[in-house]
Structure formats: C-alpha cells, structure tokens
C-alpha cells in the first residue's frame, strides 16, 4: 500500500451541515454518506470561508482567505495568477488530477469558465445543469448525445430524470476516470463538483415523491426573526424576508432532501467502482460542500450576506480504511482551508508558509485530541453577489466564531450580531445590544480585527536582505 494515496474529493454545492442521517437528521436518506461517517472521521464544526460560491471555492482551492488572494466576488473577470491552487501543487508532485463539474473560481456568466493553471489533465466541465453555454459544456453535450433536451426537461413536470441528471453524469465521468486508473503506477486525485442541492430545488420526480413536505420539520424560525431581519434589510440577501409559509419552506426542504438522496445514491456508484477496481483501500475519500443554505431559517431562503449556522457550517468527512480513525466525530472548530492543507499532506506536498490552513491529519490518525484545533474560525462576504440576485449595493461583512460566541460585523452599515451558541445554538437571541455582553462584544471585535489584519495583509515580495 502506497503512503501516497489516491484522493477522491467530492464537493456538493450549497449543502448544510445538518443533512446527514448518521449525524442526527432523521428526515434525510443518506446511507452512503452514513457509511463514511461510520468508517471515517466527521468534523461536525467545519466552516466555509464565505457563504458564497466563488470566494469559498477560491479559499479552499488555495488554502487562503479569498480576501487575501483578492478574489471575493461571484461573476469575477479573472482569477489571480500568483497563487497556485492546491491541485496544481499536487499535480506537480506526481499526481494525475481530474476535475468533474463545477469549478467556479471565475465567472461562468455568458461564457464557459476559462481554464487556469489548475493541474488537471482530465477536465469535464459543467458549471450548472442548464444548456446555456455555447461550447465546452460537457454535461449538456452528454444529454444531447442521448437525445435529451435539457431545458425542456428542467421545465417539465417530472424534471430531469435520474438517467440524464447532472449528478448521474458526474458519476459516469468519475467511473470512467477511476476505471482508467486501475493499472496506473502514480497516484491520482479526482475532484467531483456536482451542482445539487443548489437552487432551484428541482430533483427528479422519482426522488421528490419520497419526501413528504408535511413530514418535514421546517426551518429554524421564530416570529421575532421578522423584526430582527427587518433591521438587517439593507444587507444583501437573495430572497425576501418571509415566514416559512410564505417561503413554502416545508416543500422546499423536502425537495432539498430529495436532491441530497440522489447525490447519496450516485456517490455510492463511485465508491462501488473503487471497490471493483481494487482501489478502495488506497483511496482517501473527502466529502464536503462549498457552503450552506438558509432553507427558511430566520425568514431567509437561499444565500447572501449572513453567517447563520445553516449558511456557513458544512459537512466535512474524511475516510481511509485502516489508516484513519473509524467512527470518530470531532467537534473541533475547523475551516475548509484546513481541508486544503490536509490534501497537501496526503499528497506529500509541503505546506507553503503563507497558507492559512493547517492539516487535520493528526486528528484523523488519532495523534491529536479531536476536541480542539482552532481557537476561532472566520468567514467573510465582500461584495460577493451581484445586485442582479440581491437588489443590494454590495455588502461587506465578516464572521468571527470562537468555541462559544459568534460575532458578525456588517462593516458598511455599522451593524452587527452576537450570539451565545452554547445557550442559543440556532441564533435567535441577538446579544449585540445586551448591556451584560458589551465586554465580550468588544473583546471579539478586537480579536476579529486582529485576525483579519494578520490573515489578509499582503506584505509584498519576499525579503532577500536585511535592508
């Protein structure tokens, strides 16, 4: 068995942390992901570095905060060329690297996303499951080659059937890649990026029928949320502030869970191929998502400039039978930048000193306690969504979360939020103006400011002499 394993890195889009049966949600159906939890290490407090696609993906693809590498916006013209992505570093170390699906380090609006120096020799691109890219959209071409009209299917009553779905196409590509590697002497990394469970919530009808909206628990919502969100109404968000009934939140939750169930089934096909080709024992599996989804919590649907748990806390599971701990659940605070550093260590690549992430492998191996890794985690939103989606003017905000408290600063509106997550895990009681919490608030503001300066200041070229 090689000390440098293959790496199967599966990334969903907009999947909340609380959507896995084995981690406590009785309403979802996730037997494949449950098996990973049982056989591997689940980080239950993993945080993305932005609740929006491009800045989050920029962060974990480099191991650095998006503001540090100057790539904080969806719809951006280009990706900075001076910071290598982790797959470039891993390819340079001798890995064969493949990418399937969404990449989204640059805009895919009205164009196919341009390639960067990404390290991938296998590239199957599909930003979103729509037929609106004139060329280079491998998934749409795959549907057409099978006689399907993607746009018509998306708008039909039964939606796109499983056999023609983007999640299925991604599995087909992964199976092709894995099968072709069965005789390879060099290790490989495969990064799979499906679009689901991203809105619109349109799973195949066969999956939608499995989830009854009336049986769904619904969002984390209190009537007081409406007044609280009204105070924040000037802060960018995709949808209007509404009650769960106005959002039709139970139905959308059922559809969201249906999309995750299909992901789970298609993920199983990929793992079966690893087994069939004799590569399972020497393949590390990483399962995560780029960010979460509001799903009606606090009167909000979809995503935007907020940092509630459903938006910034994501699944993160690592599994390598016989090499990593089995059935371990770590509640340490970790970031997706740490996943990036972990990938580098798995591949035998030295972590660059400027990288913000640190490897999680000591916890995964049982060489470090699983209950503490970072004193705090951070997330940021800097003009991340276009006004086309929010109707806003471009908000700027940061989140600073320690073991107990979460501080959010909306920098361009002189507003903030403070939550005691021990007493109030779903963030209903904002302590920003609480007289008894002012000392805590000011301490966290200072910590947050210091952390931002230390992590995002670009000090220029390397020093070559004392003067």
């Amino acid at each position: 068995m090689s000390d440098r394993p293959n790496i199967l890195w599966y990334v969903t889009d907009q999947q909340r942390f609380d959507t896995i049966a084995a981690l406590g949600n009785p309403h979802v159906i996730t037997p494949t992901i449950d098996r990973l939890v049982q056989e591997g290490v689940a980080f239950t407090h993993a945080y993305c570095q932005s609740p929006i696609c491009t800045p989050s993906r920029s962060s974990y693809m480099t191991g650095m905060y998006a503001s540090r590498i100057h790539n904080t916006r969806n719809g951006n013209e280009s990706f900075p060329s001076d910071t290598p992505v982790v797959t470039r570093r891993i390819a340079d170390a001798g890995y064969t690297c493949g990418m399937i699906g969404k990449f989204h380090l640059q805009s895919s609006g009205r164009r196919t996303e341009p390639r960067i120096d990404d390290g991938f020799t296998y590239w199957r691109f599909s930003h979103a499951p729509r037929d609106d890219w004139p060329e280079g959209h491998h998934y749409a071409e795959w549907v057409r080659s099978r006689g399907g009209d993607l746009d018509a299917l998306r708008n039909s009553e039964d939606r796109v059937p499983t056999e023609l779905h983007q999640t299925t196409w991604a599995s087909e590509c992964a199976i092709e890649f894995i099968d072709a590697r069965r005789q390879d002497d060099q290790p490989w990394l495969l990064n799979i990026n499906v679009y689901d469970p991203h809105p619109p919530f349109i799973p195949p009808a066969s999956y939608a029928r499995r989830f009854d909206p009336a049986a769904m628990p619904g969002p984390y919502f209190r009537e007081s949320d409406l007044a609280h969100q009204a105070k924040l109404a000037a802060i960018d968000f995709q949808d209007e502030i509404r009650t769960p009934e106005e959002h039709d939140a139970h139905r959308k939750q059922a559809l969201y869970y249906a999309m995750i169930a299909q992901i789970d089934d298609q993920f199983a096909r990929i793992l079966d191929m690893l087994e069939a080709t004799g590569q399972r024992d020497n393949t590390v599996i990483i399962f995560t998502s780029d960010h979460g989804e509001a799903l009606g919590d606090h009167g909000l649907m979809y995503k935007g400039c907020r940092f509630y748990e459903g938006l910034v806390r994501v699944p993160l599971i690592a599994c390598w039978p016989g090499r990593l701990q089995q059935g371990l659940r770590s509640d340490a605070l970790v970031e997706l930048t740490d996943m990036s550093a972990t990938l580098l260590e798995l591949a035998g690549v030295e972590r660059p000193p400027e990288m913000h992430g640190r490897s999680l492998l000591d916890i995964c191996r049982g060489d470090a306690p699983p209950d503490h890794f970072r004193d705090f985690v951070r997330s940021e939103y800097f003009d991340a969504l276009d006004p086309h989606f929010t109707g806003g003017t471009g908000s700027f905000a940061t989140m600073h979360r320690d073991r107990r408290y979460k501080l959010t600063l909306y920098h361009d509106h002189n507003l903030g939020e403070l939550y005691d997550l021990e007493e109030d895990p779903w963030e209903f009681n904002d302590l920003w103006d609480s007289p008894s919490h002012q000392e805590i608030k000011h301490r966290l503001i200072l910590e947050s400011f210091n952390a931002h300066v230390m992590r995002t200041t670009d000090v220029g070229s390397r020093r070559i002499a004392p003067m």
Side-chain angles (χ1 to χ4, degrees):
M1 183 182 297
S2 170
D3 288 330
R4 295 208 306 165
N6 305 320
I7 301 170
L8 179 69
W9 181 15
Y10 199 100
V11 183
T12 62
D13 195 331
Q14 208 152 322
Q15 183 176 354
R16 298 162 58 107
F17 76 98
D18 57 347
T19 52
I20 297 170
L23 295 178
N25 187 333
H27 303 282
V28 295
I29 302 173
T30 54
T32 309
I33 305 171
D34 293 347
R35 179 184 163 194
L36 289 190
V37 172
Q38 293 155 4
E39 296 181 353
V41 180
F43 291 92
T44 61
H45 288 70
Y47 287 80
C48 64
Q49 275 46 82
S50 180
I52 306 300
C53 300
T54 290
S56 176
R57 290 169 183 266
S58 297
S59 181
Y60 68 65
M61 285 302 296
T62 62
M64 301 174 70
Y65 280 63
S67 54
R68 174 61 179 80
I69 63 169
H70 314 298
N71 207 60
T72 69
R73 287 170 163 161
N74 272 19
N76 52 326
E77 179 182 18
S78 59
F79 183 79
S81 61
D82 56 352
T83 303
V85 293
V86 292
T87 49
R88 175 73 270 167
R89 298 181 189 275
I90 291 171
D92 288 345
Y95 272 67
T96 300
C97 294
M99 198 293 301
I100 297 166
K102 180 174 179 175
F103 201 50
H104 209 190
L105 300 189
Q106 305 170 84
S107 173
S108 280
R110 297 184 289 274
R111 68 177 188 181
T112 302
E113 182 173 351
R115 291 288 296 273
I116 63 171
D117 186 14
D118 47 49
F120 295 113
T121 54
Y122 180 92
W123 178 267
R124 299 292 183 271
F125 177 79
S126 174
H127 175 81
R130 303 185 298 268
D131 198 359
D132 56 359
W133 284 265
E135 58 183 4
H137 187 191
H138 297 106
Y139 165 60
E141 294 165 3
W142 180 82
V143 172
R144 285 195 295 272
S145 73
R146 284 156 176 75
D149 183 329
L150 189 53
D151 290 340
L153 289 169
R154 281 168 58 83
N155 293 314
S156 70
E157 183 177 352
D158 288 341
R159 306 300 188 180
V160 180
T162 292
E163 61 269 22
L164 293 177
H165 202 277
Q166 193 221 40
T167 305
T168 301
W169 163 83
S171 289
E172 292 290 328
C173 294
I175 288 168
E176 174 187 73
F177 179 92
I178 292 168
D179 187 46
R181 308 274 86 74
R182 66 168 77 205
Q183 301 298 331
D184 281 6
D185 292 330
Q186 66 186 104
W188 52 260
L189 177 149
L190 181 60
N191 180 212
I192 306 163
N193 301 271
V194 296
Y195 193 72
D196 281 5
H198 190 292
F201 304 135
I202 52 170
S206 59
Y207 278 90
R209 286 191 289 266
R210 296 170 62 182
F211 294 85
D212 179 8
M216 294 294 104
Y220 293 95
F221 175 82
R222 294 178 183 171
E223 287 297 323
S224 58
D225 282 323
L226 297 178
H228 181 68
Q229 292 304 318
K231 296 178 184 177
L232 304 176
I235 311 300
D236 287 0
F237 210 83
Q238 279 193 319
D239 204 10
E240 299 295 324
I241 302 162
R242 308 175 196 266
T243 65
E245 292 73 26
E246 290 168 335
H247 273 309
D248 199 6
H250 286 75
R251 184 182 67 86
K252 288 178 180 175
Q253 187 176 51
L255 296 171
Y256 186 74
Y257 288 176
M259 296 159 82
I260 292 170
Q262 181 176 242
I263 288 169
D264 194 87
D265 285 345
Q266 289 300 319
F267 189 32
R269 297 180 60 219
I270 300 172
L271 301 189
D272 287 346
M273 190 61 179
L274 284 176
E275 296 277 5
T277 57
Q279 299 180 79
R280 178 67 182 89
D281 288 345
N282 196 38
T283 300
V284 175
I285 298 167
I286 307 289
F287 182 92
T288 191
S289 192
D290 60 350
H291 56 79
E293 156 67 44
L295 209 63
D297 288 358
H298 306 294
L300 302 168
M301 188 68 68
Y302 311 133
K303 64 191 175 193
C305 188
R306 302 292 193 282
F307 299 93
Y308 302 123
E309 293 289 272
L311 281 161
V312 293
R313 197 166 148 196
V314 294
L316 180 58
I317 306 166
C319 182
W320 187 10
R323 292 297 189 93
L324 304 182
Q325 296 284 294
Q326 294 194 16
L328 177 64
R329 300 184 187 183
S330 168
D331 66 353
L333 295 176
V334 304
E335 298 184 341
L336 290 190
T337 57
D338 301 321
M339 175 185 67
S340 315
T342 305
L343 294 171
L344 293 184
E345 185 176 353
L346 285 167
V349 178
E350 184 176 352
R351 171 182 170 270
E354 68 273 14
M355 180 175 278
H356 297 131
R358 297 184 290 119
S359 175
L360 298 166
L361 280 186
D362 281 349
I363 290 178
C364 293
R365 295 189 188 106
D367 296 332
D371 58 348
H372 184 268
F373 186 74
R374 288 182 174 273
D375 293 333
F376 58 83
V377 292
R378 294 181 57 78
S379 191
E380 55 190 25
Y381 182 109
F382 296 150
D383 191 23
L385 285 178
D386 190 275
H388 170 80
F389 293 106
T390 66
T393 57
S395 293
F396 284 71
T398 51
M399 179 207 85
H400 183 90
R401 191 241 146 116
D402 67 15
R403 189 74 252 178
R404 179 166 183 173
Y405 294 100
K406 180 189 287 185
L407 174 85
T408 295
L409 294 169
Y410 300 105
H411 301 285
D412 53 341
H413 287 84
N414 198 29
L415 293 169
E417 294 176 280
L418 175 65
Y419 296 100
D420 181 343
L421 297 177
E422 284 187 8
E423 300 295 327
D424 180 27
W426 288 105
E427 302 161 290
F428 290 115
N429 183 24
D430 181 12
L431 303 172
W432 181 261
D433 293 321
S434 165
S436 61
H437 290 83
Q438 293 308 295
E439 183 178 346
I440 292 168
K441 180 175 79 173
H442 293 143
R443 172 177 61 81
L444 292 172
I445 289 173
L446 179 60
E447 288 182 9
S448 179
F449 175 73
N450 287 338
H452 180 72
V453 169
M454 297 303 293
R455 282 162 173 73
T456 65
T457 300
D458 185 346
V459 296
S461 65
R462 67 187 182 95
R463 182 182 290 119
I464 58 172
M467 63 185 72

